[in-house]
Amino acid sequence: MEADEVRSAKEVLISNGLMHAEWNSEWLPGEIDRSWRRSITAGATRKPGSFHYVNEFDADSELSRAARPILDRLEGMLQDLGTSIFLADRTGQIVARRVAGRSERARFDNACAAEGFDFSEESIGTNGLGTAIQEAGAVFVRGPEHFNDALEDLACAGAGIRHPATGRMVGSLSLAAPADAAETMMLALVREGARQIVDNLSLTVGRRELALGRSYQRHRDKGPVIVLNSDTVMSNVTGLSFLNVESHGRLWELLLSQDWSHGPCVLDLDLQALQTRVLAHRLDDVGEEPAFAVEILNRRRPPGTRPRGAVPTFHDPFVAQLQRAAGRSARAVSVTGPSGSGKLHVALEWLRSVGHPEPLVLDAGDLENRPSWRGDALAALEAKGAVVLRRLEDLPVNQVNAVKALSAGAARAAPDDSSAPTVDSGHGESPARLVITADLGRCTDSTVGALVQVTPGVELPPLSSRGRDIPKLVDTLLERDAPSRRPVLSAATLQVLLRWHWPGNVAELRCLLEDLARELPGQSVSPYHLPECMWDAAHRRTFTRIQLAERAEIVAALRQTNGNRSKAASLLGIGRTTLYRKLRGLGIEEDALLPASEQPAER
């Protein structure tokens, strides 16, 4: 086809519009016709001088490292043929360029075909880099088939590059030459170059991730789907809304606990703000470690508000149990359990849910130093407020009768109809409430006597036996800090917390989060930031003394470089590939070592 006819056809399409253009385009390659139409729809520019200079890319990215030897090889082959080589990332931004000589450099500089410029189809229309990404394959664009006038004297052969694990487009490779000197063999060369880049990417991806990627590609067209193993998660776009730090950690632990001897399972998930039914498969073709594919069958979101006067739905079973106990009696209620098990957290969560967001909190051990405590508490109850008396085990003997009197006063301040639901009526009023927390194992007989007029509410087990509460506890404890100072826990970090046995109960979790907030305010927290005993226990592996020493050295290097693996490898005096192998062999979460800017989106 003559260049003038191609140019005329393009002008007709642009001037008449997509719905009104009428010409027989059988002579026009289908990929060019589709690309022109996408370019018009996106509002791509045709002006030679309006290219967008982005210049935001990592010259040492995974794609760049994999492509570098291929670019070197092609440059050696094509240097005498006047053909130049370009590599773009998944956004269409040029990240590498190899030009044949000074005149070619000037040619491409004039066309803004240089590192940092945006060559996406949405930005400049049909071209060898952006169109190859959109078509997810190989394309040949000659002369006026380019959408932007600045590229009309070029011919470009381009091929998209798919990640070997996820199957997603991660960039494109293109060969460019003057339109009157271009050869169709360029298309074969660029296809082979793209294939070799994919092969190089495979070398940096573990065998497990490749197998997981193949499983993901089998399931991704079935609707919302999540494919995961212990340190990798893959999801299609429709599955992304189901993922955040909490849902990922809880989903993984739930999948591990299932009996897979009878094949796939249909599971009802309750992931805090999202309930959904899924069909889960255990993947048996991805190696020895467990991996799963989760297909979302339907989703049900709980209503954002409840009817006035209705009893709220409690996602925490201990808060729900406390509510049931309080609903049976107008008297004070107790929350008991071992020291540090989160008794105050449960009490406050329940009080907030029934209309008491700011109760008066008293420490039993400090009552002697606060002479006005009884008057303050009675005043709060008479005003239909709430009082929490915590750590009854520390109550001095001479204060026992005063606490008994306070319990009696709480009953008098409650509504006459004790059978009424003790929840916010929806009109801004809630009945008065007294909650007492105690570690009964540490209470004396006289102290236990202070509970004679108190309704047993809920007894909390140690935190180690209720791991499902950890994500909510983490959120609650972090709420005490300003948003800009709250550390952000990655999914892998939350998994470590879910597997720890918490000998210090909630108090230990609180101290850990306070330390992280001081050390990493507003920053991403990866497993290597946690105490070594935690991530050792999470992997449930036994290492030799030599392996433990090597592991400690690697983690120290990663901490020193803030997770930058290139710098860590340099500090250790080993290559990046060797470091990748050691990360996996020594059970160090590789994905979790990414800097915050590269962490997967959560939610």
Side-chain angles (χ1 to χ4, degrees):
M1 192 74 184
E2 292 295 330
D4 288 343
E5 293 178 274
V6 174
R7 191 176 295 108
S8 175
K10 181 171 62 177
E11 295 297 338
V12 169
L13 185 64
I14 293 172
S15 61
N16 291 351
L18 299 179
M19 301 300 295
H20 301 95
E22 297 179 0
W23 86 91
N24 185 352
S25 60
E26 292 180 358
W27 47 267
L28 188 70
E31 63 271 19
I32 301 299
D33 182 38
R34 291 191 297 271
S35 178
W36 282 356
R37 294 172 182 274
R38 288 193 300 264
S39 302
I40 295 170
T41 302
T45 181
R46 297 186 64 197
K47 297 179 181 179
S50 56
F51 284 55
H52 182 46
Y53 185 61
V54 182
N55 198 33
E56 294 180 0
F57 63 91
D58 179 6
D60 194 39
S61 67
E62 183 182 41
L63 174 64
S64 296
R65 292 195 306 272
R68 199 166 290 136
I70 312 306
L71 300 182
D72 292 341
R73 191 176 306 128
L74 287 171
E75 184 179 24
M77 293 171 54
L78 301 172
Q79 62 181 349
D80 296 328
L81 301 178
T83 302
S84 299
I85 309 151
F86 298 86
L87 179 72
D89 63 17
R90 61 182 178 82
T91 69
Q93 180 183 194
I94 296 176
V95 299
R97 178 182 80 166
R98 306 291 176 87
V99 294
R102 182 178 299 175
S103 62
E104 293 303 306
R105 182 181 301 276
R107 177 197 299 272
F108 289 112
D109 284 348
N110 290 336
C112 296
E115 288 95 336
F117 280 95
D118 181 5
F119 265 60
S120 65
E121 196 178 70
E122 295 88 345
S123 178
I124 66 167
T126 309
N127 72 91
L129 291 168
T131 301
I133 293 172
Q134 290 294 326
E135 290 287 316
V139 298
F140 192 83
V141 186
R142 186 191 294 270
E145 290 177 350
H146 287 93
F147 194 76
N148 191 284
D149 296 341
L151 307 177
E152 279 204 1
D153 63 344
L154 298 173
C156 302
I161 301 169
R162 289 186 180 274
H163 195 279
T166 65
R168 292 176 177 169
M169 300 301 298
V170 294
S172 60
L173 178 70
S174 178
L175 303 180
D180 56 1
E183 301 285 345
T184 55
M185 65 170 288
M186 291 165 55
L187 197 57
L189 283 174
V190 80
R191 277 197 183 104
E192 178 61 17
R195 185 194 64 78
Q196 292 174 359
I197 293 174
V198 173
D199 288 345
N200 283 357
L201 285 171
S202 299
L203 297 177
T204 65
V205 178
R207 178 179 58 85
R208 291 186 305 158
E209 281 67 32
L210 286 173
L212 198 71
R214 288 193 292 268
S215 296
Y216 165 71
Q217 293 179 53
R218 288 200 305 269
H219 289 88
R220 66 179 179 180
D221 295 327
K222 297 181 180 179
V225 66
I226 301 166
V227 176
L228 67 163
N229 62 15
S230 60
D231 55 10
T232 302
V233 180
M234 299 177 187
S235 174
N236 53 13
V237 173
T238 53
L240 285 177
S241 63
F242 295 86
L243 284 175
N244 58 28
V245 171
E246 177 184 353
S247 61
H248 169 260
R250 293 178 63 180
L251 175 60
W252 177 249
E253 295 300 318
L254 175 65
L255 293 171
L256 287 179
S257 68
Q258 299 302 307
D259 178 6
W260 298 97
S261 59
H262 301 295
C265 299
V266 175
L267 304 174
D268 288 311
L269 303 182
D270 182 357
L271 303 179
Q272 192 178 1
L274 173 69
Q275 290 85 47
T276 182
R277 173 163 289 187
V278 304
L279 176 62
H281 311 256
R282 180 177 174 123
L283 304 176
D284 297 321
D285 57 349
V286 296
E288 297 179 359
E289 294 193 15
F292 307 94
V294 179
E295 300 173 35
I296 312 298
L297 301 179
N298 59 60
R299 59 189 294 177
R300 305 179 304 281
R301 290 190 183 275
T305 58
R306 55 186 172 90
R308 287 183 177 271
V311 177
T313 299
F314 300 98
H315 296 292
D316 186 325
F318 298 105
V319 175
Q321 186 177 339
L322 183 59
Q323 163 61 23
R324 289 193 293 270
R328 293 191 295 266
S329 171
R331 297 191 301 175
V333 291
S334 68
V335 181
T336 60
S339 177
S341 57
K343 299 182 290 295
L344 180 62
H345 165 75
V346 170
L348 294 178
E349 281 294 296
W350 173 65
L351 288 173
R352 289 190 192 104
S353 68
V354 297
H356 293 296
E358 297 182 2
L360 172 65
V361 179
L362 300 171
D363 230 309
D366 292 336
L367 296 185
E368 286 184 314
N369 299 322
R370 182 172 177 171
S372 65
W373 75 264
R374 185 179 175 188
D376 294 341
L378 287 172
L381 294 173
E382 289 171 358
K384 298 187 181 299
V387 178
V388 178
L389 179 62
R390 61 186 305 219
R391 298 191 181 124
L392 189 70
E393 62 272 15
D394 296 332
L395 183 70
V397 175
N398 62 0
Q399 298 291 323
V400 170
N401 289 333
V403 170
K404 290 180 180 179
L406 178 65
S407 299
R412 289 193 300 270
D416 293 336
D417 182 6
S418 62
S419 64
T422 56
V423 298
D424 186 355
S425 65
H427 300 286
E429 293 185 358
S430 301
R433 271 303 185 186
L434 170 64
V435 184
I436 298 178
T437 75
D439 178 356
L440 295 180
R442 296 176 52 205
C443 286
T444 64
D445 290 343
S446 60
T447 304
V448 172
L451 296 175
V452 66
Q453 297 182 20
V454 176
T455 299
V458 59
E459 181 176 2
L460 298 182
L463 183 57
S464 58
S465 64
R466 51 189 182 100
R468 61 177 294 174
D469 298 336
I470 288 175
K472 179 62 176 175
L473 283 169
V474 168
D475 289 342
T476 302
L477 294 171
L478 289 179
E479 284 176 359
R480 301 176 181 180
D481 292 320
S484 61
R485 294 193 53 80
R486 294 172 194 165
V488 180
L489 275 60
S490 70
T493 303
L494 186 61
Q495 284 186 21
V496 175
L497 301 186
L498 288 169
R499 296 177 186 178
W500 181 239
H501 56 281
W502 299 108
N505 286 308
V506 177
E508 181 183 1
L509 176 61
R510 181 186 300 109
C511 290
L512 172 68
L513 295 176
E514 289 172 353
D515 289 343
L516 292 174
R518 282 193 300 270
E519 296 173 9
L520 300 164
Q523 300 179 43
S524 177
V525 178
S526 294
Y528 72 94
H529 288 122
L530 300 176
E532 187 171 343
C533 58
M534 284 188 175
W535 42 268
D536 274 345
H539 287 89
R540 302 185 180 98
R541 297 174 61 180
T542 302
F543 296 102
T544 66
R545 293 178 64 183
I546 294 177
Q547 287 175 317
L548 288 172
E550 185 176 31
R551 203 165 185 256
E553 287 294 321
I554 291 174
V555 170
L558 290 166
R559 285 175 173 161
Q560 186 174 342
T561 60
N562 195 29
N564 185 303
R565 286 166 286 180
S566 294
K567 293 181 180 178
S570 179
L571 278 177
L572 294 165
I574 59 178
R576 285 178 60 94
T577 304
T578 302
L579 178 60
Y580 291 145
R581 177 170 51 79
K582 290 182 179 292
L583 289 174
R584 191 163 307 283
L586 295 172
I588 303 172
E589 299 282 356
E590 183 176 341
D591 285 348
L593 300 179
L594 291 170
S597 61
E598 298 180 29
Q599 288 282 352
E602 297 175 15
R603 320 46 339 43

